[in-house]
Amino acid sequence: MDVFPRKLWARLAARVARSLSFHNYARQDAAGSRRLRDAIAGYLQIARGVECDGEQVFITAGYQGALGLIARVLIRNGEQVWVEDPGYFATRAALKWAQAKRVAIPVDGEGLNVEAGMRKAPAARLAIVTPTHQFPTGVTLTISRRLSLLQWAAASRAWVIEDDYDGEFHYRGRPLPALKSLDRQDRVLYCGTFSKVLFPGLRMGYVVVPPQLSDEFASACVCLQPAGGMLEQAVVCDFIEQGHFARHIGRMRQLYAERRAALVTAIERWCADSLHVDVQAGGMHLLTYLARGVEASTLQKRASAKGVAFMPLSQAAIEASMKPGLLLGFANVPVNGADSAARRLQEVVAATFLEDQ
Ligand SMILES: Cc1ncc(COP(=O)(O)O)c(C=O)c1O
């Protein structure tokens, strides 16, 4: 967020605000601005291999808003939904409000264990997955698992929700195209967000639905109005159409690679006895394992007093037994701040280890 091009953003926003027409002041398209929906469809084809028409794209308040919309349209009370275990806590919370029955499906070295899902809940209505970069393990769903997930969905008339939250940030080679790009039977709803590629406070994302669901989603949008205001949609659209988006992603990928390398080096220097870094190919956080299990909340409280924040790995688990570990975001840690952050983390972990003896 410290290097976001704020001046450029402010200039685009001012221009948009000045150029609003009478028409813009009236009602907006409930599915989101058509120009933005088309721009997203164009971007997805090039960047993620997803072929879709703007008609299939619905603007939402981030991934969380997309999931809320999907739940309202597709989930009926008590229906089963596969979720990854370990997985994203906010997905589980959204399912609770949708009164869905969450079924924890284990994740292994190949991603979601589809066979386990078929054994545990063969008739589930939905499966929610992070195939590019599983949250929090960083594993990529293998091709054979992708194909069996799609086969299961087609055979059982289930839907697959692809949460592609950080697919743009990959540091070794090119990431696999989205799962949606293999979806010949039209069973995948693809969710993208601007939280990672622009900034989370924007609260903007989108869902691409299969063509046979477009009308139903369009009607639901009239009632639920998930797209938010048109001013910010127009700014995002100009940002994409004028080429700033592609440039910004390229610049951030480079910067994050540097910040990631700096934090890995700093942790290896300061925390070698207490933390082991499992370096992943992509993402915006480091997966680290603690040498010993400690009370995560004590560690978190202590760290926070020193200005260090992380997420205990255990918070991502439902039934899975996880090695004790911490997720460390590196995107907002400048290269010259990595050493001090790692040193403070080491002090906190060492003190907690000592106390626990
Ligand atoms: C797994 C996962 N999905 C989605 C998101 C993005 O959520 P939103 O678009 O609601 O900000 C995040 C953000 O941290 C995430 O970790």
Side-chain angles (χ1 to χ4, degrees), residues 197-251:
V197 276
L198 293 178
F199 52 96
L202 182 61
R203 297 314 310 142
M204 198 185 293
Y206 49 89
V207 51
V208 179
V209 308
Q212 70 274 29
L213 290 179
S214 287
D215 287 348
E216 214 176 339
F217 269 74
S219 312
C221 285
V222 174
C223 157
L224 300 172
Q225 296 288 334
M230 50 80 182
L231 261 178
E232 271 171 334
Q233 291 182 53
V235 179
V236 172
C237 197
D238 286 351
F239 198 79
I240 297 174
E241 285 181 353
Q242 293 174 19
H244 305 300
F245 190 61
R247 266 194 301 279
H248 181 62
I249 293 174
R251 218 177 286 138

Side-chain angles (χ1 to χ4, degrees), residues 50 87 151 158 173 176 180 191-192 223 226 236 257 265 296 314 331 344 347:
V50 173
Q151 249 166 25
L176 275 184
K180 177 76 189 156
C191 297
C223 157
V236 172
T265 308
S314 54
R344 280 177 287 155
E347 284 164 13

Side-chain angles (χ1 to χ4, degrees), residues 79 91 114 117 122 136:
E79 279 182 324
T91 293
V114 180

Side-chain angles (χ1 to χ4, degrees), residues 61-65 87-89 91 130 133 135 163-166 192-196 200 203-205 285:
Y63 164 71
Q64 218 53 42
Y88 187 40
F89 42 89
T91 293
T130 49
H133 182 238
F135 184 91
D163 172 10
D164 200 23
Y165 64 108
D166 68 358
T193 177
F194 291 115
S195 285
K196 304 281 189 185
R203 297 314 310 142
M204 198 185 293
H285 63 255

